[in-house]
Amino acid sequence: MLVLMLVVAAATLRLCLVAGAQQLCRIHTVRTGKVFHVSQQIQGDHLYFSSRTPRLIKHPCKKNIALYLGRQIFFTRDNFKSSLLPLSLPTSIKVGVPEVTSAHIAGSVLLLVVNQKVYVYDYEANFWNASIGIEHPVSHISGDNCCYSGHPFCVDISNSVFAYLHGDQISQTNVYFSNTRGYTFQKFAYERQAELVGSLGGVFYFHSLSQVGLLLIDQGKAMFSYSEHPLNRSLGLPFDYNGTLDILITPGQKGILIFWFEKSLLVSGNAGQLVYPVPVDEEPRISYSSVSEANVTIHNIAANQNELAVLTRENSLYYGSLGILPSSLIKFSGQNIWSQEAAVMFTDVGQVEILTPLPDPMFPAFDFQRCPMNVQEILMDPQLQVDICKVELLQGEFDNRMYSIDMNSELQLTALMIPRPGRSPVPLAMVSNPHSLGLQVAIYEDGYTYDGNTKHRLNISLRQQHHWGRANPNFTSSIKKPTVSTITLDVANKEISCVDLKPLTALISVGCDQEKKIVIQKWREGKFQEVTKAEFVLLEVNGLFTYTYSLTAQMALCRSQPQNWTTILESSGDKRPFFAWDRENYISCHDPDNDAPLRWPDVPYQILGGPTANKVIFDQRNGIYVFFLSIVDPYYSYCHLGTTFSVYVYGALPPSIIPTTVTIIPLIMAMLLSVWSAYMIPKLLHTEKGLRLKEFWMNLCRRLRNLCPCFQGRR
């Protein structure tokens, strides 16, 4: 009897050491639209999910849009606040077996893989389409959503989707890519794909690294292969691959990946370059290095930008943070929250909910059992022995914003951190793509609060990694290609109780600054920025070619044959010739890597600016020239900078019909004769012949006066 009492006491004590000592949530059921017996029927094929455990996908930008995948599939536009009919295909679409193996929400459309084909549901227009361009069976789709702004690069992120067959041999598999949110696909060519060994575990566009990543699975190990320099030179670090891992890309383009299966939970903070297991804290003093060591069975998971929730079949919920340094999972239990159809989701920061569809025998529409939890409130339970957050404030105006850094540009960001008295938090700034974006951080004390707490100001300087001069060229990405990176400011050693103290994150587009433009007298926002010294080309809009250039290819010291408008227009075939020559296809004749021989050194050199003093020389013609100017220097800006301007040429005399030699020679002879006459005639008049000649002319003049009446009145 005493032994039994001790066992009961021990079990009670263990229950009190976890969050199970309190009720986690108050369960309620959502039931709407069933007051009247309105006839509702499911039209078309009844869709269902292939896995025996459900999934719940939330739109990261539109918080009320979500998709539940289970024995029935539900799509909601009000975050499951009303009863729903199961999702079905229209009767006009025949799919055979209506089994869904993968799903993705891309902007305003829902993508489903049904019976190895991709279908698009525009939920705003309530219209279904079959994707075009996929010629082979596929099982999975992957994509991401950008929620920062309407920047063209952000739109491109939401439009990019991959489709592939999971488990196929990677060397011969067919991968499809769409930049139209899944409406049309084309085959994706991955360099060195034929050399890769193993089966395909997934294809992902890691926008945080500006890389496409292929997951290779071989003999119980997995690793990523990347598409662009410098990561394409080798594979990522291998990690254990047990079962069939689901891969979740967390919102925000921070590069955080979550890999999970029933007995495995892994995380990566740098887009798969380093993958490691997530530790688990069962009790305040009992920790495990992984989920498998803790001997728990995962039912499903949910994640937002900074938090992770795991629902297990042991009737427990585990919670952790996804900061720069992810924390261990902490266990919440003590209430019956698990069922076979239950799914976990985040409704807001620190707000977790368990959702379970409930069938209604009287109506085809399903109700939903909801179990909301306030994580911050649960963590305040003293039984958990969670340390209080050591930071009172972390804020910056750049949080949840998007910026552009063009070539040779710099961006300055500031943040404020206020720690609790007597605490020493460690702020840590990190970029997701250090191959492209470099940073420098300065921190200093900036006064005190009314409570006497010290204010810490952080100044963050961002520019391209190439221009910091601190990285090896083998580390940096190609400077000619635009890239993207996120900047995250967090507290390295913050406690799990800092639920409301989320990291500060901004998306940085290392590419074209949309506000930059080329004009003849001004730049951006009506303010002068700089005189452009980059290489540029000109083309007369009206087809006038009565001008040439002051330099030839040889005079410009070209190492190879320079490009010109004739060859560019012949090769492009573009209907808009003014945009045929730009930074993407320009090849400098001074580039030592350009091996085109200099065969015609006397041709005009048609590139202006840059290292040469080339000029335009106009022919003898008065009139207006309208030029299109295009900057072709690939190292000046990621933008396609161009402008149109006019030049008025005046003062040019019309060309003479008579040859120049015919005019100049008689003129010179006449001038010489005049000079000779002015010298010799006065001298000859003082000789005998000169006096006779003078007398002759005087007599001639007298006779003329007598003959002409006009001279008679003057006598």
Side-chain angles (χ1 to χ4, degrees):
M1 187 68 175
L2 179 61
V3 174
L4 179 61
M5 293 176 60
L6 290 175
V7 171
V8 173
T12 306
L13 178 61
R14 184 181 184 278
L15 184 63
C16 293
L17 287 176
V18 296
Q22 60 176 337
Q23 187 178 17
L24 297 180
C25 64
R26 293 185 177 179
I27 298 176
H28 66 278
T29 301
V30 173
R31 179 182 174 89
T32 62
K34 296 183 178 180
V35 177
F36 304 100
H37 289 272
V38 179
S39 176
Q40 292 179 310
Q41 298 296 329
I42 301 175
Q43 303 294 329
D45 291 329
H46 179 188
L47 296 171
Y48 64 93
F49 189 46
S50 59
S51 175
R52 63 190 183 94
T53 56
R55 308 286 190 273
L56 203 154
I57 302 173
K58 294 209 65 176
H59 197 302
C61 310
K62 303 174 182 178
K63 303 302 182 182
N64 289 328
I65 302 294
L67 178 71
Y68 174 91
L69 300 170
R71 287 188 293 181
Q72 293 80 26
I73 295 179
F74 301 98
F75 180 75
T76 179
R77 301 180 66 176
D78 62 359
N79 202 24
F80 300 104
K81 294 180 180 178
S82 59
S83 301
L84 293 173
L85 288 172
L87 188 65
S88 62
L89 290 171
T91 55
S92 59
I93 298 179
K94 303 298 182 181
V95 297
V97 180
E99 182 183 66
V100 176
T101 55
S102 182
H104 171 64
I105 304 176
S108 60
V109 300
L110 170 65
L111 301 177
L112 297 174
V113 179
V114 185
N115 197 16
Q116 298 187 330
K117 295 182 180 179
V118 178
Y119 294 89
V120 183
Y121 174 50
D122 187 335
Y123 56 82
E124 292 183 349
N126 192 26
F127 189 76
W128 287 86
N129 272 313
S131 293
I132 300 173
I134 298 180
E135 301 173 351
H136 299 84
V138 296
S139 62
H140 285 70
I141 50 178
S142 67
D144 203 350
N145 284 275
C146 180
C147 307
Y148 286 98
S149 67
H151 191 281
F153 189 85
C154 194
V155 175
D156 291 342
I157 292 177
S158 301
N159 290 345
S160 301
V161 180
F162 279 106
Y164 56 93
L165 182 60
H166 187 280
D168 201 9
Q169 285 300 309
I170 199 167
S171 59
Q172 59 187 17
T173 190
N174 294 284
V175 178
Y176 293 90
F177 175 73
S178 171
N179 56 7
T180 60
R181 291 182 298 174
Y183 282 98
T184 59
F185 284 86
Q186 59 273 349
K187 280 189 176 181
F188 177 74
Y190 188 86
E191 189 177 356
R192 301 181 299 107
Q193 179 178 339
E195 305 172 7
L196 301 177
V197 178
S199 59
L200 181 63
V203 185
F204 309 94
Y205 205 138
F206 297 135
H207 299 281
S208 59
L209 269 179
S210 298
Q211 300 270 0
V212 173
L214 269 66
L215 181 61
L216 288 68
I217 306 170
D218 188 30
Q219 299 180 358
K221 295 288 184 179
M223 63 198 75
F224 276 98
S225 173
Y226 299 93
S227 60
E228 303 294 335
H229 177 81
L231 297 181
N232 61 352
R233 295 179 299 169
S234 61
L235 299 176
L237 294 177
F239 58 93
D240 292 333
Y241 191 92
N242 300 318
T244 302
L245 295 178
D246 273 18
I247 302 176
L248 174 63
I249 301 177
T250 63
Q253 291 75 50
K254 296 166 65 175
I256 300 177
L257 308 180
I258 300 173
F259 308 78
W260 71 278
F261 185 60
E262 290 183 352
K263 293 293 184 178
S264 178
L265 182 62
L266 310 171
V267 68
S268 173
N270 51 10
Q273 297 179 76
L274 178 62
V275 181
Y276 50 89
V278 179
V280 178
D281 289 343
E282 283 280 347
E283 297 178 11
R285 294 180 180 85
I286 300 178
S287 299
Y288 300 97
S289 61
S290 65
V291 168
S292 59
E293 185 181 338
N295 196 25
V296 298
T297 304
I298 298 176
H299 185 63
N300 54 48
I301 70 169
N304 56 23
Q305 289 192 27
N306 311 300
E307 300 171 286
L308 172 64
V310 178
L311 178 63
T312 69
R313 295 184 183 178
E314 289 78 15
N315 239 355
S316 298
L317 181 76
Y318 291 81
Y319 172 83
S321 66
L322 296 174
I324 289 181
L325 299 177
S327 66
S328 301
L329 293 178
I330 188 170
K331 182 180 180 181
F332 301 159
S333 64
Q335 186 176 349
N336 188 14
I337 57 176
W338 175 84
S339 67
Q340 185 61 41
E341 300 301 318
V344 62
M345 66 176 180
F346 281 96
T347 58
D348 205 342
V349 176
Q351 303 294 324
V352 182
E353 188 166 301
I354 308 296
L355 182 81
T356 307
L358 300 177
D360 190 329
M362 302 297 298
F363 296 89
F366 279 61
D367 303 327
F368 294 95
Q369 178 180 284
R370 308 186 65 166
C371 175
M373 308 178 195
N374 188 319
V375 174
Q376 187 72 73
E377 182 179 347
I378 297 174
L379 290 173
M380 292 176 63
D381 185 353
Q383 301 290 344
L384 289 175
Q385 301 180 18
V386 174
D387 293 335
I388 191 171
C389 185
K390 63 169 62 74
V391 180
E392 288 189 350
L393 179 68
L394 180 65
Q395 69 177 18
E397 294 183 357
F398 63 88
D399 187 33
N400 285 328
R401 295 185 61 182
M402 184 172 182
Y403 298 88
S404 294
I405 297 181
D406 205 344
M407 206 169 289
N408 303 301
S409 300
E410 188 171 342
L411 179 64
Q412 299 289 338
L413 305 176
T414 61
L416 176 66
M417 183 187 72
I418 302 178
R420 289 187 179 274
R423 301 298 180 97
S424 300
V426 180
L428 183 61
M430 181 181 294
V431 292
S432 65
N433 191 355
H435 309 284
S436 174
L437 186 63
L439 80 164
Q440 182 170 300
V441 182
I443 183 170
Y444 58 92
E445 294 184 2
D446 190 27
Y448 300 91
T449 65
Y450 291 111
D451 299 333
N453 293 354
T454 305
K455 296 181 181 179
H456 295 272
R457 182 74 59 180
L458 292 93
N459 292 338
I460 305 173
S461 300
L462 298 169
R463 69 169 77 163
Q464 282 181 284
Q465 192 67 271
H466 301 79
H467 301 308
W468 280 113
R470 300 178 298 199
N472 188 288
N474 292 327
F475 177 80
T476 57
S477 57
S478 174
I479 192 173
K480 290 186 178 181
K481 293 185 177 180
T483 55
V484 71
S485 178
T486 54
I487 170 70
T488 302
L489 178 63
D490 198 3
V491 178
N493 55 341
K494 73 177 182 182
E495 295 75 14
I496 196 172
S497 60
C498 301
V499 176
D500 298 327
L501 193 81
K502 63 178 184 177
L504 308 180
T505 305
L507 185 64
I508 310 296
S509 171
V510 184
C512 176
D513 184 352
Q514 297 295 316
E515 297 182 353
K516 181 180 288 187
K517 60 183 179 180
I518 292 291
V519 293
I520 301 303
Q521 294 180 344
K522 297 179 180 179
W523 287 74
R524 182 171 48 184
E525 297 180 354
K527 298 180 181 179
F528 176 80
Q529 300 293 315
E530 63 179 353
V531 176
T532 302
K533 298 180 181 179
E535 294 171 302
F536 63 94
V537 294
L538 298 176
L539 182 64
E540 214 286 326
V541 172
N542 300 311
L544 296 176
F545 294 100
T546 55
Y547 61 92
T548 186
Y549 299 87
S550 62
L551 297 182
T552 63
Q554 186 175 18
M555 296 168 63
L557 303 179
C558 286
R559 298 186 178 188
S560 58
Q561 196 66 39
Q563 294 173 305
N564 57 60
W565 277 109
T566 302
T567 57
I568 290 293
L569 294 178
E570 288 178 354
S571 61
S572 68
D574 197 337
K575 296 182 180 179
R576 300 185 300 170
F578 310 123
F579 302 95
W581 201 354
D582 56 23
R583 64 177 300 271
E584 293 185 357
N585 60 0
Y586 172 66
I587 302 175
S588 174
C589 69
H590 303 99
D591 189 352
D593 297 329
N594 186 1
D595 55 359
L598 183 59
R599 296 178 178 176
W600 301 281
D602 296 328
V603 297
Y605 182 67
Q606 297 185 359
I607 295 93
L608 302 166
T612 68
N614 198 16
K615 296 180 177 62
V616 174
I617 300 176
F618 294 96
D619 291 352
Q620 197 170 10
R621 175 188 176 276
N622 291 326
I624 296 178
Y625 293 83
V626 180
F627 286 103
F628 176 78
L629 181 150
S630 175
I631 290 185
V632 296
D633 189 343
Y635 301 104
Y636 178 71
S637 172
Y638 289 103
C639 303
H640 293 274
L641 296 174
T643 189
T644 303
F645 67 97
S646 61
V647 175
Y648 178 52
V649 178
Y650 63 94
L653 296 175
S656 176
I657 301 177
I658 303 174
T660 306
T661 56
V662 177
T663 306
I664 292 179
I665 292 176
L667 181 61
I668 294 176
M669 293 179 64
M671 293 176 62
L672 292 175
L673 181 60
S674 299
V675 173
W676 182 84
S677 299
Y679 173 76
M680 293 301 296
I681 290 177
K683 190 174 183 180
L684 290 174
L685 290 177
H686 295 287
T687 63
E688 182 179 356
K689 292 182 178 180
L691 293 174
R692 290 178 183 177
L693 183 62
K694 183 177 181 181
E695 183 178 356
F696 169 78
W697 285 107
M698 292 178 64
N699 291 331
L700 181 62
C701 290
R702 290 193 192 99
R703 291 177 181 178
L704 290 174
R705 283 198 187 114
N706 293 330
L707 293 175
C708 185
C710 61
F711 290 105
Q712 294 179 2
R714 296 183 182 180
R715 294 180 179 178

